[in-house]
Amino acid sequence: MSNLEVIRQACTTRGGYFVHVVQDQEAMERRQFKLFDIGTELKVLSSKPSTHKNKHGEESNSLIVDVIGVRRVLVKSVPQREPFVAVETEAISATSPISDFQKELICDTFKACSELRSQLEIKDQTLSEVKETGRLPFTQLLGPGESSPQSDDDLESMVAKVKFVLERDGKELEKKDESLLIALAALQGVDPDTKMKALTQIEDEDLVRIASEGLEDTRKSLLAMKSL
């Protein structure tokens, strides 16, 4: 029920905004509670009631929620754990815009990966990946009843959507942050481990490098699959 309460609180008291932070898996294995230092601020775009049925056939109330990631945040403290985890955060602003060359390379490689997936009839992500890696930027949050995630067709349309949402809420997206969102959006096209590694980087240069390398590795893997 805590996830449902987070959504309700976000929609009723915070204009639809909330933060998603992934738990440290190594700490969990030691039965310790620890969050990653980097999280994602999300905006609820829409929600509708749903019913969740577990493996025993038991039903419970749930929600299907569409969200969009708008920025990365630094987790400063965890003042609350019940009935849901609450964190105090600080915005992470881009230090400098990515170069036009980097932007073009990321966009072109992402497009190539999308076209190869389409040819191979491979979806961008599976439901299990979303559950394993948490809600990442530009991945629509799934509720019970949804069979698979949905993603946008190109990176620039995703960034334009974020910009529209923020401007509608009276918030401004700086040019340098707008360009970094290109690299963040591209992470939906790479493997879960690469996503997590990139999203936990403080420095913009490291995030962009990991995103670019991850996309190129994905493109090569898809080309190898196509040649079989």
Side-chain angles (χ1 to χ4, degrees):
M1 292 298 292
S2 61
N3 289 338
L4 296 179
E5 185 59 28
V6 168
I7 299 300
R8 295 190 181 104
Q9 287 285 333
C11 293
T12 57
T13 66
R14 300 184 57 83
Y17 288 91
F18 68 100
V19 172
H20 177 266
V21 187
V22 177
Q23 280 190 260
D24 188 310
Q25 294 296 318
E26 293 183 359
M28 288 179 64
E29 291 173 0
R30 298 192 300 268
R31 298 184 180 276
Q32 297 175 346
F33 177 82
K34 182 181 179 182
L35 301 176
F36 277 108
D37 294 331
I38 307 295
T40 304
E41 185 175 25
L42 305 172
K43 165 74 174 184
V44 176
L45 301 179
S46 66
S47 64
K48 61 181 180 180
S50 180
T51 301
H52 173 61
K53 182 180 292 187
N54 63 24
K55 62 182 180 181
H56 303 296
E58 300 169 333
E59 294 186 351
S60 59
N61 293 330
S62 187
L63 289 173
I64 294 176
V65 184
D66 288 338
V67 304
I68 191 168
V70 296
R71 63 174 180 171
R72 295 193 305 155
V73 293
L74 181 66
V75 177
K76 304 294 288 185
S77 65
V78 184
Q80 174 183 306
R81 294 193 188 183
E82 297 293 340
F84 53 84
V85 175
V87 295
E88 292 184 357
T89 63
E90 179 181 293
I92 301 176
S93 296
T95 54
S96 61
I98 66 175
S99 67
D100 290 339
F101 172 77
Q102 288 174 312
K103 178 180 176 180
E104 183 176 350
L105 179 62
I106 288 174
C107 288
D108 288 348
T109 310
F110 183 87
K111 182 178 179 181
C113 290
S114 297
E115 290 175 349
L116 285 167
R117 282 193 180 92
S118 178
Q119 295 169 14
L120 294 167
E121 298 184 351
I122 300 174
K123 294 182 179 179
D124 285 344
Q125 283 184 306
T126 65
L127 183 57
S128 61
E129 282 182 344
V130 177
K131 287 180 177 178
E132 289 172 2
T133 60
R135 316 305 181 187
L136 303 177
F138 309 95
T139 296
Q140 294 182 319
L141 174 61
L142 298 178
E146 292 288 307
S147 58
S148 61
Q150 303 172 25
S151 59
D152 297 279
D153 293 328
D154 64 86
L155 300 181
E156 292 184 338
S157 71
M158 301 179 208
V159 174
K161 185 183 293 184
V162 172
K163 189 174 182 180
F164 170 78
V165 168
L166 290 175
E167 290 179 348
R168 185 182 60 188
D169 291 342
K171 301 176 183 290
E172 185 177 352
L173 182 65
E174 294 187 24
K175 193 68 177 179
K176 58 183 180 179
D177 291 318
E178 183 177 336
S179 64
L180 185 61
L181 282 176
I182 290 286
L184 284 166
L187 292 175
Q188 70 171 306
V190 303
D191 65 274
D193 289 339
T194 301
K195 290 175 189 174
M196 187 60 66
K197 182 179 179 182
L199 286 169
T200 54
Q201 301 300 312
I202 295 291
E203 299 298 329
D204 303 338
E205 295 83 359
D206 294 331
L207 189 154
V208 172
R209 174 181 54 79
I210 293 170
S212 298
E213 292 174 354
L215 279 174
E216 180 59 19
D217 289 343
T218 300
R219 187 187 70 84
K220 290 178 179 179
S221 296
L222 292 169
L223 281 172
M225 291 175 63
K226 185 179 178 182
S227 65
L228 295 177

